[in-house]
Amino acid sequence: MPFTGLDFIIPILAILVLLVLFTGIKTVAQGYNYTVERFGRYTKTLTPGLNLIIPFIDRIGAKMNMMEQVLPVPTQEVITRDNAIVAVDGVAFFQVLNAPQAAYQVSDLQNAILNLTMTNIRSVMGSMDLDELLSNRDAINERLLRIVDEAAHPWGIKMTRVEIKDINPPANLVESMARQMMAERNKRAQILEAEGLKQAQVLEAEGRREAAFRDAEARERAAEAEARATQVVSEAIAKGDVQAINYFVAQKYTDALAKIGSSSNNKVVLMPLEASSLIGSLGGIGAIAQEVFKGDGQAGSPRQGSRPPSIRTPDQN
């Protein structure tokens, strides 16, 4: 059976139809969005999975990565507010949220983000002193993120993080900072030592004041007791009790004899006749005087090798 022209046309048409179908079927990988252009104009966005477009009329425009991406920021020199030159590098993280805006609102998206980040790093860090720059890295990162994210928002992207990796001052500046830090620590040590000395002197003065207060209080109580004893004796005398004045005078003599007898240099004590008569007339005063004149030996016995002081009246000399 001979082949006709129709036999050749049908397979060719079938192949063309299959080619057209395959041309119109687009598979988008996970994490990507494709823009569709019809005669050069954006029409829609293809999401991950199987998608259909009109062959020969629609075409794929831009294949946008919708995952979070990292963009290294190269090292650049920054002049701080106090005219210090430091080398700074960093890293930026961003994510495309709107594929058409990222594809058609800016040309070369990554290069635009990179230049925007570098410009703001110089601007932000240049407005700070070196000491502030080195001690407030978190605040710098937060400020950079806010500024760059606001500037890149019309591009359909979200800046997730902007981090400063290294801040490297010149070697001579680092040496000067080390000397400054050492001087500051020495200053703190001297201040702490002075504060400790001051506190010790204050505590010592408070101790002396407390001791003086207690001594004065003790003297005051002794004076009150003495005044009370004198008052009692005076009342007894007023009532006609002569023994009270004798006891009072004997107590004063006894105290005086105790002070005289306690001296290690006195071996002979001269007393007036009235004192010996008084001692002889009062019972028990002799025993008190004997106890007073024991010396430095044990209680109840005189010190061996030494003579107790003898009491002589002027008529015995």
Side-chain angles (χ1 to χ4, degrees):
M1 180 177 179
F3 291 97
T4 61
L6 186 60
D7 295 332
F8 292 99
I9 293 175
I10 292 176
I12 293 174
L13 290 177
I15 293 173
L16 290 176
V17 171
L18 291 175
L19 290 176
V20 169
L21 290 177
F22 279 112
T23 305
I25 296 174
K26 298 296 180 183
T27 302
V28 180
Q30 184 65 39
Y32 285 83
N33 280 357
Y34 293 173
T35 61
V36 178
E37 299 176 356
R38 180 173 297 172
F39 302 116
R41 182 180 179 182
Y42 166 78
T43 56
K44 63 179 180 178
T45 301
L46 303 182
T47 56
L50 187 63
N51 297 271
L52 296 176
I53 63 174
I54 301 176
F56 309 114
I57 295 178
D58 295 340
R59 70 180 185 89
I60 301 299
K63 299 179 180 181
M64 303 303 301
N65 187 349
M66 307 299 291
M67 296 179 287
E68 187 174 2
Q69 303 176 61
V70 58
L71 183 65
V73 180
T75 303
Q76 59 178 331
E77 290 186 349
V78 176
I79 301 177
T80 62
R81 186 170 57 186
D82 52 353
N83 297 324
I85 301 177
V86 295
V88 180
D89 61 354
V91 61
F93 296 84
F94 70 95
Q95 184 177 12
V96 177
L97 301 181
N98 192 310
Q101 289 183 345
Y104 302 113
Q105 293 294 331
V106 62
S107 177
D108 195 353
L109 177 63
Q110 291 195 355
N111 187 45
I113 296 174
L114 178 61
N115 282 276
L116 179 64
T117 304
M118 294 177 65
T119 302
N120 282 280
I121 285 177
R122 289 194 297 268
S123 176
V124 171
M125 301 182 71
S127 62
M128 304 171 68
D129 294 333
L130 180 60
D131 293 339
E132 186 181 2
L133 197 69
L134 296 175
S135 59
N136 295 310
R137 186 172 298 190
D138 291 339
I140 296 173
N141 294 336
E142 182 181 355
R143 185 177 175 186
L144 282 173
L145 177 61
R146 185 178 67 253
I147 295 174
V148 176
D149 181 60
E150 183 179 355
H153 180 72
W155 300 342
I157 66 172
K158 172 66 177 178
M159 300 299 301
T160 57
R161 282 178 294 175
V162 178
E163 301 284 344
I164 299 297
K165 292 170 59 179
D166 292 320
I167 302 176
N168 299 317
N172 57 349
L173 188 58
V174 173
E175 184 179 356
S176 299
M177 292 172 61
R179 291 197 301 267
Q180 180 182 0
M181 180 184 63
M182 184 62 65
E184 184 67 22
R185 290 185 176 180
N186 292 335
K187 175 183 175 182
R188 292 179 184 176
Q190 293 175 357
I191 292 175
L192 291 176
E193 184 178 358
E195 288 290 339
L197 181 60
K198 174 183 175 182
Q199 188 67 18
Q201 293 175 350
V202 169
L203 292 176
E204 183 180 359
E206 290 180 355
R208 290 196 302 267
R209 184 183 66 177
E210 182 68 18
F213 175 78
R214 292 184 181 274
D215 291 342
E217 185 178 5
R219 290 193 300 270
E220 180 182 359
R221 291 183 179 179
E224 291 178 355
E226 183 71 18
R228 178 60 181 169
T230 304
Q231 181 182 0
V232 171
V233 172
S234 299
E235 292 176 356
I237 294 173
K239 294 179 181 179
D241 190 357
V242 181
Q243 296 297 327
I245 189 60
N246 293 335
Y247 172 77
F248 186 74
V249 173
Q251 183 182 10
K252 294 298 182 180
Y253 270 106
T254 302
D255 293 340
L257 291 175
K259 294 181 180 179
I260 296 173
S262 61
S263 176
S264 59
N265 296 327
N266 292 331
K267 299 303 181 181
V268 178
V269 179
L270 297 177
M271 297 183 60
L273 180 61
E274 292 80 1
S276 60
S277 299
L278 179 62
I279 293 175
S281 63
L282 295 176
I285 297 300
I288 297 175
Q290 182 179 2
E291 182 68 21
V292 169
F293 296 131
K294 285 180 181 181
D296 297 334
Q298 297 180 352
S301 61
R303 186 176 55 185
Q304 296 180 359
S306 62
R307 294 180 57 190
S310 59
I311 302 176
R312 297 183 180 179
T313 60
D315 57 347
Q316 293 176 343
N317 290 335

